[in-house]
């Protein structure tokens, strides 16, 4: 396969999948988020998106990204250096809880316009970039497994399988963007998570942590509503 053929595969528009596939993917994604045993496993994907969001925004705001760690308890840590205050630090701290929903919204826009292959390959590129900054074994395995699934499906999967995988992933990000925010506030009410992203943002900006949690939740719900509309009815 030459470069021109690869480029055409990337930019070509794929046919719309049947409605049952779109809705079936939504149902499976909802189960992965709502059922606790499944959520304990699937939440690792959210952690990849969360920490990847921190890392990407740190780079875009010209902070020095030191590394990313992903843990088996679905927690994670992204280390960057630079000014301890200011817009760059605020945007980096705010990127974690917003990343899954925003990635889901971007994915929904691509799918609604028929760019299934482009979505899969962009995901592979983002995961490859993140892999370079992973600093622990569990994180390497998690990102490799996720990226390997995208690569195998995009290269060897049928058109229907690629569509099912892409829609499942986007539905999952849109739905899963909501639950961590709800869990965060539940922990905060119980006196935990006092060094959460919302609390760090409160110290950086002087705006109360509960307002940041509210902002995260509103954004997640807005992305879910817009993304679901695009996936079901198209743009």
């Amino acid at each position: 396969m030459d470069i021109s053929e690869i480029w055409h595969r990337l930019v070509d528009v794929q046919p719309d999948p049947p409605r049952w596939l779109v809705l079936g993917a939504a149902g499976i994604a909802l189960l992965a988020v709502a059922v606790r045993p499944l959520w304990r496993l699937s939440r690792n994907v959210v952690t990849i998106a969360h920490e990847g969001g921190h890392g990407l925004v740190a780079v875009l705001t010209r902070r020095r990204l030191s590394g990313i760690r992903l843990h088996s308890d679905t927690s994670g840590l992204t280390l960057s250096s630079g000014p301890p205050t200011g817009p760059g630090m605020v945007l980096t701290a705010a990127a974690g809880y917003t990343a899954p929903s925003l990635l889901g919204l971007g994915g929904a826009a691509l799918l609604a316009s028929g760019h299934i292959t482009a979505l899969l390959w962009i995901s592979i590129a983002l995961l490859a970039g993140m892999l370079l900054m992973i600093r622990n074994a569990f994180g390497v395995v998690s990102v490799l497994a996720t990226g390997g699934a995208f690569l195998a499906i995009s290269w060897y999967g049928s058109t229907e399988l690629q569509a099912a995988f892409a829609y499942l992933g986007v539905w999952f990000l849109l739905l899963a963007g909501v639950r961590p925010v709800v869990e965060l506030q539940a922990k905060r009410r119980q006196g935990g998570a006092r060094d959460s992203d919302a609390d760090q943002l409160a110290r950086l900006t002087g705006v109360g942590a509960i307002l940041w949690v509210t902002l995260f939740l509103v954004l997640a719900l807005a992305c879910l509503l817009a993304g679901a509309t695009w996936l079901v009815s198209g743009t």
Side-chain angles (χ1 to χ4, degrees), residues 182-195:
V182 176
E183 292 177 341
L184 169 62
Q185 184 55 25
K187 290 180 181 178
R188 294 187 71 258
R189 280 201 307 267
Q190 297 169 3
R194 291 306 178 187
D195 198 36

Side-chain angles (χ1 to χ4, degrees), residues 151-177:
L151 182 61
I153 294 295
S154 66
W155 201 257
Y156 299 109
S158 64
T159 301
E160 293 77 12
L161 182 57
Q162 289 184 16
F165 186 77
Y167 273 84
L168 176 60
V170 170
W171 274 117
F172 176 76
L173 287 174
L174 290 170
L175 291 164

Side-chain angles (χ1 to χ4, degrees), residues 26-88:
I28 295 172
L30 181 59
L31 288 175
V33 173
V35 178
R36 186 177 295 274
L38 296 177
W39 176 242
R40 289 172 182 164
L41 296 174
S42 64
R43 202 183 193 285
N44 286 292
V45 176
V46 180
T47 304
I48 291 174
H50 181 115
E51 300 303 331
H54 283 312
L56 178 60
V57 173
V59 171
L60 292 176
T61 56
R62 298 186 177 182
R63 295 181 61 80
R64 182 177 180 182
L65 182 60
S66 303
I68 299 172
R69 301 177 70 87
L70 306 174
H71 305 133
S72 58
D73 63 356
T74 73
S75 65
L77 178 65
T78 299
L79 297 175
S80 65
S81 57
T85 60

Side-chain angles (χ1 to χ4, degrees), residues 48 120 123-125 127-128 140-154 165:
I48 291 174
L120 296 175
S123 300
I124 292 169
L127 288 166
V140 169
V141 172
S142 296
V143 175
L144 278 177
T146 305
F150 274 92
L151 182 61
I153 294 295
S154 66
F165 186 77

Side-chain angles (χ1 to χ4, degrees), residues 96-120:
Y97 280 99
T98 58
S101 295
L102 292 175
L103 288 172
L105 185 64
L110 285 172
L111 294 181
S113 59
H115 291 96
I116 296 173
T117 301
L119 169 66
L120 296 175

